[in-house]
Amino acid sequence: MKTLYSQLPAIDSLLRDPALQPLLAQTGTAFTTHQLRAMQQEAREHIQQHQTLPAWHANWPQEALRRAARQQQSALRPVFNLTGTVLHTNLGRAQLSDRAIEAVVNCLRQPVTLEYALDEAARGHRDNAVSALLCELTGAEAACIVNNNAAAVLLMLAALAPGREVIVSRGELVEIGGAFRIPDVMRQAGCTLVEVGTTNRTHLKDYRAAIAENSGLLMKVHTSNYQIQGFTHAVTEAELVELGEAYQLPVITDLGSGSLIDMTGFGLPAEPMPQQLIAAGVSLVSFSGDKLLGGPQAGIIIGKKALIEQLQSHPLKRALRVDKMTLAALEATLQLYRQPETLREALPTLRLLTRCSQDILQQAERVMPPLAQRYSADFSLAIAACSSQIGSGSLPVERIPSYAITFTPRDGRGSHLNHLSQRWRSLARPVIGRIQEGKLWLDLRCLDDETALIQALVA
């Protein structure tokens, strides 16, 4: 045992080893020394437990370089999203446009007018950068920006109805990812939830009967992550606005995804648009920036100026505000909507959602041969029609025709699929597909760089 311990090299000698000089030049003496001491302690523990030296003992410099590379690797790694979900929450939702990326880089390299009004040479408001654009695009009187749509809902409730009742249809008490539930948010905001109607049918008379002296808001929540079908009835925003005006109650809508364009014009299913609700008289509308809008994560609130001013002056607004990078990316994204004729190509989300299935099929036919040559010994490969989904709660039951390359283990063992999927997730740029029906599916709808994918999977 003592002989094994004596074979462990001293830190000083390792630091002088020529093979370790690249690591020293890259990370410095302090980091490298810390790394070597950790390895030395690990080696001692291995000797104590197994009475042998660790396998990597023969080449300390190489092992130190490998570990340093792993530690310095970013936690936010680029991946190939071949899941078939365009707006994948776990993979970052919307990809930003080139224009938005450039705007973020520019605002990071130099001072910017984040809260500085050039005309008055005085402090301005950070939301001004995008509020005018949002009003132009939606017809709203004013706008407010927070860090996501959940924050937007919380702020609206806390600022407009603290200690008061908020009336919502029972069929709209949604839960979204991360256990975000409308009733829980209401409690956090200091509001009292008043449920009306039933899960599948709510009428205007239900809202009217629930209005009382302590009523503060009438609220609509777009059920973007599920649908109730069959014997159903819901009250429209226009009907609710008319009722709210009669009782002097604001109407707010949590729209969720929020598309600023008519999706049917691109062959996609219809989705409620914020500007439609503003035109219907809704007091405030909230929606996400990183879903169908195709921008950065943000919660956008548009509506009546007096109510927006209440939100801006609430203490929560400062806690929920966004930074200059988000504002820069959001402004650049909204600028693209001023040119609807070029929006499809300029906005990655829209481009991926509207890719022609025939183009995807042709791409699959190009990608298939090199993958078949590499994997056909163990797997049967095929090109199969499949259905992509929009994702992030947008149009939950709608599917978009697409094509995938499927891998079926020749011996029928599902463990081989799991092993293959795990191998691909460990690549320098992980490849993320989905296992379904005894096959590993690579849906190519979101594949931009087919050459890079082939190189990754064939190497």
Side-chain angles (χ1 to χ4, degrees), residues 1 4-5 7-9 36-57 60 67:
M1 184 83 74
L4 293 176
Y5 285 124
Q7 294 182 47
L8 299 180
L36 294 174
R37 283 175 177 161
M39 291 171 61
Q40 201 174 58
Q41 180 60 31
E42 183 181 321
R44 290 192 185 100
E45 293 173 357
H46 187 90
I47 292 170
Q48 186 176 16
Q49 293 175 13
H50 305 285
Q51 290 75 54
T52 61
L53 290 164
W56 45 262
H57 172 74
W60 281 68
R67 294 188 181 201

Side-chain angles (χ1 to χ4, degrees), residues 291-367:
K291 293 183 180 179
L292 292 176
L293 184 69
Q297 176 181 300
I300 301 169
I301 309 170
I302 57 174
K304 299 188 181 302
K305 185 177 180 180
L307 297 182
I308 292 291
E309 288 175 350
Q310 284 185 245
L311 305 188
Q312 297 286 19
S313 62
H314 193 275
L316 267 180
K317 175 55 167 65
R318 183 174 180 85
L320 302 175
R321 71 182 184 180
V322 297
D323 67 350
K324 62 183 178 181
M325 293 181 287
T326 300
L327 289 170
L330 182 57
E331 180 186 23
T333 302
L334 293 171
Q335 290 279 5
L336 297 176
Y337 282 85
R338 283 176 156 172
Q339 299 171 287
E341 64 277 6
T342 61
L343 186 62
R344 183 173 186 167
E345 287 306 312
L347 198 65
T349 294
L350 190 57
R351 175 174 54 80
L352 296 175
L353 288 174
T354 59
R355 281 192 71 190
C356 172
S357 60
Q358 190 63 30
D359 291 342
I360 301 174
L361 173 59
Q362 292 172 1
Q363 185 179 51
E365 291 170 343
R366 294 191 298 270
V367 172

Side-chain angles (χ1 to χ4, degrees), residues 364-385:
E365 291 170 343
R366 294 191 298 270
V367 172
M368 173 80 158
L371 297 191
Q373 185 176 0
R374 170 65 176 83
Y375 293 97
S376 58
D378 299 313
F379 298 90
S380 174
L381 279 71
I383 296 175

Side-chain angles (χ1 to χ4, degrees), residues 153 166-176 180-184 186 193-203 207 218-226 228 233-237 239-240 251-255:
V153 174
V166 180
I167 304 171
V168 187
S169 168
R170 183 169 284 110
E172 297 174 4
L173 298 179
V174 302
E175 175 182 324
I176 63 174
F180 172 88
R181 295 179 172 185
I182 290 296
D184 296 339
M186 286 209 183
L193 168 66
V194 177
E195 303 176 27
V196 297
T198 62
T199 301
N200 60 320
R201 293 177 69 81
T202 302
H203 302 273
Y207 287 95
L218 302 176
M219 184 175 182
K220 287 280 291 180
V221 181
H222 178 49
T223 55
S224 59
N225 62 351
Y226 75 97
I228 300 175
H233 182 81
V235 177
T236 67
E237 279 82 4
E239 292 174 311
L240 208 56
V251 176
I252 65 172
T253 296
D254 169 14
L255 196 51

